[in-house]
Amino acid sequence: MGREGRRVAVVHADAGVDYRQVRQAYVGYVYGDSTCGQAALYGLGQSGIPIVNVNNNCSTGSTTLYLARQAVESGAAECVLALGFEQMQRGALTIQWPDRPSPFERFDKVAHAVQGISDAPFAAQYFGGAGAAYAQQYGTGPETFAAIAVKARRHAANNPYAVFRDPVTTEDVLNSPHIFGPLTRLQCCPPTCGAAAAVITTEEFARKHGLRTDVSIAAQAMTTDTPSTFDEADMRKLVGYDMSKEAARQVYEAAGAGPEDIPVVELHDCFTTNELLTYEALGLTPEGTAEKFVADGDNTYGGRVVTNPSGGLLSKGHPLGATGLVDVVLDTDLPTSFTTATPSPGTTGTLMPASRREALLAQAARMFAEHGYTGVGIEDIGSAVGITGPSVYNHFPSKLDMLTTLIARGAATLQTELSAAYLAAAGAPDALRRLVRSYLRFVCAHPHLIDLLITETGNLPPAERHQARQVQHDYLTEWVHLSRLVDPGLDPAVARIRVHAVLSIANDAARMPRLHDNPALPAALEILADRLLEAPL
């Protein structure tokens, strides 16, 4: 439980909230004795707040968020913690309490009647059977399911939190050991240990304490089985197709949006078959068209909607108590649009995200960087993405809101990469190396965003300006701290000079079009950064 406490401490540091400000906590896990939630949080202090333990199988993490949101929304508390964690056992999921009636008896009865009895793991029987039913109705080939696993690994390459980041081919997936139905081993998520947390507050609380207000919950729904799950002898419905479809309907209605408005989705890919089914349950593609959706690349960058940019459970693993929260937390940090190199002079860069809001932000970043914040009007930005007149105000009330959102994203990325470097590092040298590499990747991928962090932060409102500058100051301080851990005899002033030199050169190089377009730039900057940080001064 101590590890979970340290992870929650990192979350509170990221959020800018002290544990003493939290008025309620909802803690989710599946495998553990009663009151593990208290044990996980007491390392942060014994504040006397209500701590509610939650067990809801794979939806445990999202249930903690659901309860935390309700507590805030109802006015019962203005600052609530949602935490999920799991210490998993090796191998496939099994029934833990065979001496009493199983909650899966009703499901097993349907599954056995439809497809017989097998020695395969029970979850693989459910979801493999669902995939087989879909393939039988629509003629879906096994390579379609395998392509989802290939995409997962490709996305995971950009996620420092993913367990499996090495690429695989369709042949690798199909040639891995067969499990059940269309499923092979590489199409089944692995059981892994992990934790995730989120702090939910009212907007008033966030503003009062100088916290971020750019991430909000527009809508949330939770559903359970209806008679169709058990009465229709359909494995797809047995694994929750109708539940997901109904939850999506409720969320779209509450948010005033539709699937066509969603540019990125983190969904439950415990098996490739469930990801494919969920495409249709969420309305991302019409029923019966998921194979074309995959074949056309509409589930990845450059397509209609980026699904599981984190790499999904297939790459991150599935710590049951944390999964539902991991999907939400990662979704606020990972890229939601396809990033291309800065267009060469004389070109306009025609590739745009599907979401109008994301397209406006992409153009705002480019235009603010090229012409300055004061030299661009909100109508100019709207016109650049084909939005004319007052329609642009449906997405952002002002260009200041665009700038605030962009700089908050940049600052959040720095915080995320810093936390990732510390959590994954084997020691100070490794942490510094990871931090350097992550920053160089960031500046080379987002030169316009770096330009805004450097030149336009002064145009933010006072509270947001202070927070952005504090993040940048803290980030630089961590570089200096790690440099001195690597070389304890290093003078603090010298360490700061070295760090400033690395950051300045990287920032300037990434913002120069003739250098940015050079594919050798990241490698050259890595070598230069290594030399500068080791240079005698």
Side-chain angles (χ1 to χ4, degrees):
M1 296 304 156
R3 289 193 298 273
E4 277 66 47
R6 287 195 293 274
R7 291 189 180 107
V8 178
V10 170
V11 170
H12 280 284
D14 286 344
V17 174
D18 189 285
Y19 182 64
R20 290 170 293 185
Q21 295 173 290
V22 173
R23 306 318 306 156
Q24 293 183 16
Y26 295 89
V27 185
Y29 58 95
V30 176
Y31 303 119
D33 289 330
S34 181
T35 67
C36 284
Q38 281 85 337
L41 291 179
Y42 280 178
L44 300 179
Q46 297 85 55
S47 60
I49 64 169
I51 298 176
V52 180
N53 291 269
V54 178
N55 181 335
N56 210 14
N57 218 337
C58 300
S59 63
T60 295
S62 53
T63 304
T64 66
L65 182 70
Y66 187 82
L67 296 170
R69 176 192 58 80
Q70 285 189 324
V72 172
E73 195 171 57
S74 69
E78 60 179 357
C79 181
V80 179
L81 172 66
L83 166 65
F85 59 82
E86 206 70 66
Q87 182 170 330
M88 301 287 289
Q89 297 176 339
R90 289 183 179 274
L93 299 181
T94 60
I95 301 299
Q96 298 293 307
W97 305 100
D99 62 335
R100 63 204 67 187
S102 168
F104 298 105
E105 282 183 358
R106 190 186 299 264
F107 295 87
D108 287 339
K109 182 178 180 179
V110 174
H112 295 163
V114 172
Q115 58 191 22
I117 299 175
S118 168
D119 291 333
F122 76 93
Q125 291 184 52
Y126 293 167
F127 289 95
Y134 184 93
Q136 182 177 10
Q137 179 173 354
Y138 297 111
T140 308
E143 64 280 355
T144 297
F145 296 109
I148 292 172
V150 174
K151 180 267 299 177
R153 291 293 189 93
R154 187 170 65 248
H155 287 184
N158 297 315
N159 179 11
Y161 299 103
V163 177
F164 300 106
R165 302 174 65 188
D166 295 332
V168 294
T169 65
T170 301
E171 291 73 23
D172 292 333
V173 176
L174 293 175
N175 290 333
S176 63
H178 178 256
I179 304 299
F180 190 91
L183 294 174
T184 60
R185 180 173 294 171
L186 290 180
Q187 297 181 67
C188 308
C189 71
T192 54
C193 304
V199 178
I200 313 300
T201 75
T202 63
E203 185 172 0
E204 293 76 13
F205 179 93
R207 293 190 182 282
K208 177 181 177 181
H209 295 279
L211 308 178
R212 290 177 57 184
T213 59
D214 58 320
V215 178
S216 61
I217 300 175
Q220 188 181 15
M222 181 168 289
T223 55
T224 54
D225 295 295
T226 59
S228 68
T229 300
F230 306 106
D231 293 349
E232 299 187 17
D234 187 331
M235 292 300 298
R236 292 165 291 186
K237 296 192 174 186
L238 190 71
V239 299
Y241 182 86
D242 285 352
M243 281 198 299
S244 296
K245 188 173 181 178
E246 173 59 18
R249 184 197 66 77
Q250 292 180 26
V251 165
Y252 291 143
E253 181 178 321
E260 68 279 0
D261 300 312
I262 310 299
V264 59
V265 171
E266 282 284 340
L267 54 81
H268 194 78
D269 61 328
C270 50
F271 300 90
T272 56
T273 50
N274 197 53
E275 175 161 334
L276 183 139
L277 292 171
T278 307
Y279 293 157
E280 297 184 6
L282 299 182
L284 305 180
T285 190
E287 290 190 358
T289 66
E291 183 166 36
K292 184 177 187 300
F293 186 74
V294 173
D296 290 348
D298 278 335
N299 61 346
T300 187
Y301 293 100
R304 207 197 66 71
V305 53
V306 184
T307 55
N308 291 340
S310 67
L313 308 186
L314 292 168
S315 300
K316 302 196 303 283
H318 185 11
L320 269 62
T323 291
L325 268 173
V326 172
D327 288 346
V328 174
V329 173
L330 281 173
D331 197 23
T332 68
D333 295 328
L334 291 170
T336 58
S337 59
F338 183 69
T339 303
T340 60
T342 304
S344 301
T347 68
T348 58
T350 57
L351 185 59
M352 281 283 107
S355 161
R356 288 296 183 91
R357 178 181 172 85
E358 291 300 318
L360 285 167
L361 286 173
Q363 280 298 321
R366 180 184 68 81
M367 296 174 75
F368 289 158
E370 293 178 358
H371 307 293
Y373 172 75
T374 58
V376 178
I378 190 170
E379 292 82 4
D380 300 324
I381 300 169
S383 178
V385 299
I387 300 177
T388 57
S391 296
V392 67
Y393 295 99
N394 294 332
H395 303 277
F396 290 96
S398 69
K399 70 172 184 175
L400 179 58
D401 287 277
M402 293 182 182
L403 180 66
T404 302
T405 300
L406 287 166
I407 290 181
R409 282 189 178 185
T413 300
L414 295 181
Q415 291 175 307
T416 299
E417 294 292 354
L418 176 63
S419 295
Y422 272 108
L423 289 172
D430 186 35
L432 182 59
R433 189 178 306 110
R434 289 174 182 271
L435 195 56
V436 170
R437 302 301 183 265
S438 68
Y439 186 77
L440 295 180
R441 287 196 302 269
F442 178 52
V443 296
C444 289
H446 305 284
H448 295 324
L449 200 50
I450 285 296
D451 198 289
L452 300 187
L453 286 169
I454 295 171
T455 64
E456 303 295 352
T457 299
N459 286 307
L460 294 177
E464 287 81 359
R465 180 171 65 245
H466 172 76
Q467 179 151 346
R469 286 177 172 166
Q470 187 64 48
V471 169
Q472 295 175 47
H473 175 270
D474 293 346
Y475 182 73
L476 187 147
T477 299
E478 293 298 335
W479 278 60
V480 174
H481 171 65
L482 286 172
S483 297
R484 297 192 66 217
L485 287 178
V486 173
D487 181 2
L490 187 62
D491 182 86
V494 173
R496 191 168 291 272
I497 290 171
R498 290 181 181 179
V499 170
H500 272 294
V502 171
L503 297 180
S504 297
I505 292 173
N507 295 341
D508 291 343
R511 293 154 64 202
M512 296 175 65
R514 65 185 182 85
L515 290 181
H516 176 263
D517 292 339
N518 189 330
L521 178 62
L525 287 175
E526 285 186 15
I527 295 172
L528 187 58
D530 289 342
R531 299 285 174 82
L532 284 171
L533 290 174
E534 296 174 359
L537 292 177

